[in-house]
Amino acid sequence: MARKLKACALIVSATATLAAATTTTTTSTATTTSTTAPTTTTTTTSDVTSSTSPGSIPSGYTVIAAPLRCDGLTDDTAALQNALNALGAYQALQLPAGTCKTTKSVSLYGKTNVIVAGAGMDQTILSAQTPTSSAFVVEQGNGVIVQDFQVYSPNATTRIDDGGGRAFSVNNSNNVTLQRVKGRKTNNAVAFFNVTNSKILSSQALDTFADSFHITGKSSGIVVQFSKAVNSGDDSFSSIGYAGTPISDVQFLDNESDDAKWASCFSFEGTTNGKALRNKCYRSGAAGIRIQSWNTYPTNPQDNIELSDNYLEGVVTRTDLVDAHGAITIVTNYNYLHSITAARNTIKDPKAHNGILASGLNATVNVTANATDNVMLNTVGALKTPFAVGAYTAVTKSGNTLNGVGI
C-alpha cells in the first residue's frame, strides 16, 4: 500500500474554510464481534499444559519437534517449509529456541486445526535474510494458531510495497489466532487480507516500515488486543477497506502505540462497525486516531465507528499537519462517514491546534459524529481549538472539558 498519509497534507488548504455546522443529533450502534479459537479434542503425546503462557501448547494437539538447527548460521528454510507441509490436523509444530535463518518466505497452506509455536517471541527468531521474501504466510487456513516467535528482517532498510516483505501475512483464512508474535524491521508486523473471525493477541511490532498491524481486503470479525507497536513507519493499527472490498467488525482493544512517526496510532478507512477502545497513543506524526476517506486512496463509506476511553498524548508531531489534523481527525472528501462516536477519550498536550477535527470538505459527502465526555488537557499551549467542525458536518457535543472547564 502506498504511503496514504501524503493525502492528508492536502487537508491543509481545506481547513482554512472550516465553519461551524448546524448541530444535529446522531446515534451510534456499536457491534461487538465474538471470535473463538479452535476447539481441540484429541489427545496430546507431549507433556504440555492447557495454558496459553509463552512456550505452551493447548491440550488436544500432538506436538512435533521441528527439525531445525536455529544456530544463526544454517539455512533452515527448506527444513521449516517441509515441516509445515507435513503438518496435519491437530498437530503442533514446535520450533526450538534460537535464531533460525531463512532466505525466503515460508507458507502454511490449506491447513486446518494446526499450531505453529516457538519458545517465546524473543527466544525463537526467524531471521529473514531477504527483505522482499521474509514473511511467515498463512494461506487458506482454518483454525490455525501461530504463537511465540518473531520474524526479523535484519537486512531491510526501506519500505517495500510487496506482501513478501511482511513478518506475518494471513490471507483468505478463517478463525486464525496470532498470539505473542513479533515483527521487527519488516514492512508490516502482521497483515490480514480476506480474513474472517480471527485475532491478534499480545503481539508486538518494532521498527516497521509500513502499517504495523494492517487489516484489509474483505476482512471481518477481527480483534486486535493487548498488542504494542513501537516506531511504526506508517499507521500502527489500521483497518482499510478500499473501494469494492468491504471490511467490517474490526476492533482495536487495549493496545498501545509509541512513535508512529509518519502517520496515526489508529486509523479506520472504509470500515463498517469499527471500534477503538481503551487504547494508548503516545506521539504520532498525524492524528492520534484518524477516521478518513480521501480521494487519493478511494475507500468504502464508513458507518458506526466507536472511539471510546482512549488515551492520546503528544500527538500530531508533524509540523505540516498541526493545523490540518486534530488529535482525533474525522475527515472525508470522497465517501460519507456516518455515526462516528468519540466518547470519554483523554487528549493530553497535542501538538495539533485542534483537539477533535471533523469535516466533510465536499458537498457530496458528509460526516455525522457524536462527541461526549472527552477530556482535553493542555499544558504546553499548542491546542487552540477544542473542536473544529467544518461544512457538511453535523457534530453533537456534550460533557466535554478543556483543562477541567466545560466546552
Side-chain angles (χ1 to χ4, degrees), residues 27-380:
T27 59
S28 175
T29 306
T31 301
T32 300
T33 302
S34 176
T35 62
T36 57
T39 302
T40 59
T41 56
T42 61
T43 302
T44 180
T45 59
S46 295
D47 183 18
V48 296
T49 68
S50 60
S51 73
T52 58
S53 59
S56 68
I57 305 294
S59 62
Y61 287 81
T62 300
V63 178
I64 299 171
L68 309 181
R69 297 290 294 275
C70 295
D71 57 9
L73 300 173
T74 305
D75 186 349
D76 286 311
T77 308
L80 177 55
Q81 187 60 67
N82 290 339
L84 295 172
N85 292 343
L87 201 58
Y90 295 106
Q91 292 183 334
L93 183 66
Q94 180 68 63
L95 310 181
T99 300
C100 316
K101 182 179 176 181
T102 61
T103 51
K104 63 179 180 180
S105 296
V106 293
S107 178
L108 188 66
Y109 183 87
K111 301 295 183 177
T112 299
N113 295 332
V114 299
I115 297 176
V116 180
M121 69 167 68
D122 292 314
Q123 284 68 51
T124 300
I125 301 172
L126 301 190
S127 182
Q129 302 299 301
T130 309
T132 57
S133 189
S134 60
F136 184 95
V137 180
V138 177
E139 180 75 39
Q140 295 185 30
N142 187 28
V144 172
I145 300 175
V146 178
Q147 65 182 43
D148 298 316
F149 66 95
Q150 173 183 157
V151 176
Y152 169 48
S153 185
N155 300 319
T157 59
T158 189
R159 181 173 181 143
I160 301 166
D161 289 316
D162 183 281
R166 296 165 176 161
F168 296 90
S169 183
V170 182
N171 310 304
N172 307 304
S173 297
N174 177 62
N175 196 18
V176 174
T177 299
L178 270 61
Q179 55 190 6
R180 303 181 302 274
V181 299
K182 185 175 186 177
R184 180 160 59 111
K185 278 195 72 181
T186 55
N187 217 45
N188 313 109
V190 179
F192 278 6
F193 180 81
N194 292 347
V195 177
T196 55
N197 304 318
S198 296
K199 303 176 184 177
I200 304 168
L201 304 175
S202 302
S203 295
Q204 295 183 16
L206 177 62
D207 297 332
T208 58
F209 295 100
D211 294 359
S212 287
F213 296 93
H214 183 62
I215 315 300
T216 191
K218 296 180 180 180
S219 294
S220 64
I222 307 299
V223 174
V224 185
Q225 190 169 25
F226 305 128
S227 295
K228 185 174 182 178
V230 178
N231 199 30
S232 301
D234 208 319
D235 295 328
S236 290
F237 298 83
S238 65
S239 173
I240 313 294
Y242 294 105
T245 55
I247 185 170
S248 64
D249 301 292
V250 176
Q251 301 182 62
F252 298 131
L253 312 175
D254 308 292
N255 303 292
E256 181 177 328
S257 170
D258 299 353
D259 298 301
K261 55 184 177 290
W262 175 262
S264 296
C265 294
F266 302 91
S267 73
F268 291 96
E269 300 183 37
T271 302
T272 299
N273 299 333
K275 289 176 178 287
L277 311 181
R278 304 181 304 275
N279 300 289
K280 296 179 180 179
C281 171
Y282 298 99
R283 299 168 303 279
S284 58
I289 301 177
R290 192 181 79 257
I291 313 298
Q292 177 178 297
S293 178
W294 207 253
N295 57 11
T296 309
Y297 303 96
T299 54
N300 299 313
Q302 299 207 85
D303 245 325
N304 194 25
I305 307 294
E306 180 185 356
L307 316 172
S308 296
D309 301 299
N310 301 289
Y311 179 85
L312 290 73
E313 183 174 336
V315 297
V316 194
T317 60
R318 285 175 53 185
T319 57
D320 60 318
L321 294 181
V322 293
D323 287 309
H325 278 210
I328 295 175
T329 294
I330 305 166
V331 64
T332 178
N333 75 348
Y334 182 74
N335 231 323
Y336 67 79
L337 311 180
H338 282 177
S339 298
I340 314 298
T341 299
R344 301 180 306 279
N345 299 289
T346 298
I347 299 169
K348 182 180 179 181
D349 293 337
K351 307 302 181 184
H353 294 159
N354 300 305
I356 297 177
L357 181 149
S359 184
L361 296 177
N362 189 317
T364 62
V365 296
N366 59 77
V367 173
T368 61
N370 180 49
T372 305
D373 298 326
N374 296 285
V375 176
M376 302 186 197
L377 302 171
N378 188 38
T379 64
V380 295

